[in-house]
Amino acid sequence: MQNSVARSIDRYGVVGHPVAHSRSPMIHAMFAAATGQNLVYDRYDLAPDDFTREVGAFFAAGGRGLNVTVPHKETAARLADELTPRARLAGAVNTLARLDDGRILGDNTDGAGLMADLHRLGCDITDKRVLILGAGGATRGILGPLRDRRPAELIVANRTAERARELAGHSGCVYEALATRKDLPFDVVIHATSLGLEGKVPAVTAKIVGPGTFAYDLGYGKPETPFTRWATEHGAGRVAQGIGMLVEQAAESFLLWRGLRPDTTAAHRAVIA
Ligand code: ATR
């Protein structure tokens, strides 16, 4: 991960596998230009076996911070010398920062990014009935911030009941259980499974969405995702996808690293162009 960039420029980057299509370099370059910050932000494709060694070398060589994406988020949480409370809660790290004393801080800005994007879209979840589909790492990252907004109900439904209950306590259930509910549709449905990567959606009753439903997919695709297409086809009043969350979690990482939060308007426009 060494490169020839002058030591005086602060170095950042995104680590993933694969990472070639990551939009983070473009987003952070826009933030840096807009705020007059002198930094470079590169992509690093690291296989799992190389992650810990190469990330250590990046920071030892003076690197300031890294975003971490699939499949390294849990490894990054183990690598960090210290975790923020929200990273500990999520059990995963999407942002690493070198502290002044050389130790590495692990943070997770995904939940804050989702909340900022929902706010930007005018979706206030306070007192709303909210359903999350999926109980993996993505759900763990957003559950705390969602709960903090005090929805009327927050239900986690998953293929495997155990994982849903583990995360959500008594409001966890399996997909089939949703079909028996009398109080459908939900106000907000958040899709957080990894099925979109295979072009699929969870096997769940279409009654969860209706004209009053805001359906949000944590994943993203152009111009839609399998889940946003499914939700639209089944009558969801409004859909949105996680490209907006990507921009907002980047702004939260930038804030951690540089001490200021960039205006995200131009980046939102650029990522959907
Ligand atoms: P991530 O960290 O990306 O969330 P994960 O922790 O492996 O990845 O979680 C993947 C999520 O997608 C889980 O909710 C998983 O359901 P299970 O807990 O039952 O495995 C869900 N998922 C993955 N493949 C699925 C499938 N074919 N059908 C239904 N749900 C699936």
Side-chain angles (χ1 to χ4, degrees), residues 156-251:
V156 176
N158 193 43
R159 172 179 60 177
T160 313
E162 234 171 80
R163 286 185 93 189
R165 285 202 205 100
E166 197 183 303
L167 283 188
H170 55 80
S171 59
C173 65
V174 286
Y175 295 137
E176 297 88 78
L178 293 171
T180 64
R181 290 178 67 107
K182 301 254 183 302
D183 54 353
L184 301 179
F186 285 90
D187 299 318
V188 179
V189 178
I190 298 174
H191 176 245
T193 82
S194 52
L195 274 170
L197 302 170
E198 302 167 33
K200 298 180 189 158
V201 295
V204 65
T205 173
K207 289 183 184 154
I208 59 171
V209 297
T213 304
F214 184 22
Y216 191 103
D217 193 345
L218 298 190
Y220 48 91
K222 254 187 177 176
E224 55 188 6
T225 69
F227 177 73
T228 59
R229 191 184 322 127
W230 177 91
T232 303
E233 280 170 9
H234 291 95
R238 199 171 168 209
V239 300
Q241 52 157 304
I243 193 75
M245 174 176 163
L246 179 79
V247 171
E248 295 297 331
Q249 64 79 30

Side-chain angles (χ1 to χ4, degrees), residues 12 27-39 41 67 95 109 247-263:
Y12 296 89
I27 295 169
H28 281 282
M30 290 185 77
F31 290 167
T35 57
Q37 301 275 303
N38 192 22
L39 58 86
Y41 188 106
N67 281 131
T95 309
T109 64
V247 171
E248 295 297 331
Q249 64 79 30
E252 294 289 329
S253 297
F254 197 91
L255 170 64
L256 177 79
W257 291 330
R258 309 301 297 185
L260 78 177
R261 198 181 197 282
D263 183 274

Side-chain angles (χ1 to χ4, degrees), residues 9-251:
I9 298 180
D10 290 341
R11 288 192 297 128
Y12 296 89
V14 56
V15 185
H17 188 61
V19 79
H21 296 103
S22 170
R23 316 295 290 277
S24 294
M26 182 194 78
I27 295 169
H28 281 282
M30 290 185 77
F31 290 167
T35 57
Q37 301 275 303
N38 192 22
L39 58 86
V40 294
Y41 188 106
D42 296 311
R43 279 186 189 89
Y44 300 105
D45 190 329
L46 294 180
D49 283 352
D50 301 329
F51 179 81
T52 302
R53 185 184 66 246
E54 292 293 330
V55 167
F58 173 86
F59 284 113
R64 296 288 299 268
L66 291 171
N67 281 131
V68 180
T69 184
V70 178
H72 300 307
K73 289 184 178 184
E74 282 83 13
T75 316
R78 289 193 293 275
L79 172 146
D81 298 308
E82 189 182 324
L83 294 178
T84 61
R86 60 188 182 181
R88 195 170 309 119
L89 208 63
V93 155
N94 78 334
T95 309
L96 292 167
R98 186 163 55 82
L99 300 171
D100 290 341
D101 63 7
R103 288 178 315 127
I104 308 302
L105 176 70
D107 193 11
N108 191 315
T109 64
D110 286 334
L114 173 65
M115 300 319 294
D117 202 37
L118 290 176
H119 179 73
R120 179 183 73 92
L121 295 167
C123 174
D124 180 6
I125 64 159
T126 305
D127 295 331
K128 299 278 167 45
R129 293 173 45 252
V130 179
L131 170 68
I132 305 175
L133 299 173
T139 298
R140 215 175 318 122
I142 63 170
L143 209 49
L146 284 170
R147 213 176 255 144
D148 288 348
R149 299 307 300 247
R150 302 190 179 284
E153 217 177 347
L154 184 59
I155 293 175
V156 176
N158 193 43
R159 172 179 60 177
T160 313
E162 234 171 80
R163 286 185 93 189
R165 285 202 205 100
E166 197 183 303
L167 283 188
H170 55 80
S171 59
C173 65
V174 286
Y175 295 137
E176 297 88 78
L178 293 171
T180 64
R181 290 178 67 107
K182 301 254 183 302
D183 54 353
L184 301 179
F186 285 90
D187 299 318
V188 179
V189 178
I190 298 174
H191 176 245
T193 82
S194 52
L195 274 170
L197 302 170
E198 302 167 33
K200 298 180 189 158
V201 295
V204 65
T205 173
K207 289 183 184 154
I208 59 171
V209 297
T213 304
F214 184 22
Y216 191 103
D217 193 345
L218 298 190
Y220 48 91
K222 254 187 177 176
E224 55 188 6
T225 69
F227 177 73
T228 59
R229 191 184 322 127
W230 177 91
T232 303
E233 280 170 9
H234 291 95
R238 199 171 168 209
V239 300
Q241 52 157 304
I243 193 75
M245 174 176 163
L246 179 79
V247 171
E248 295 297 331
Q249 64 79 30

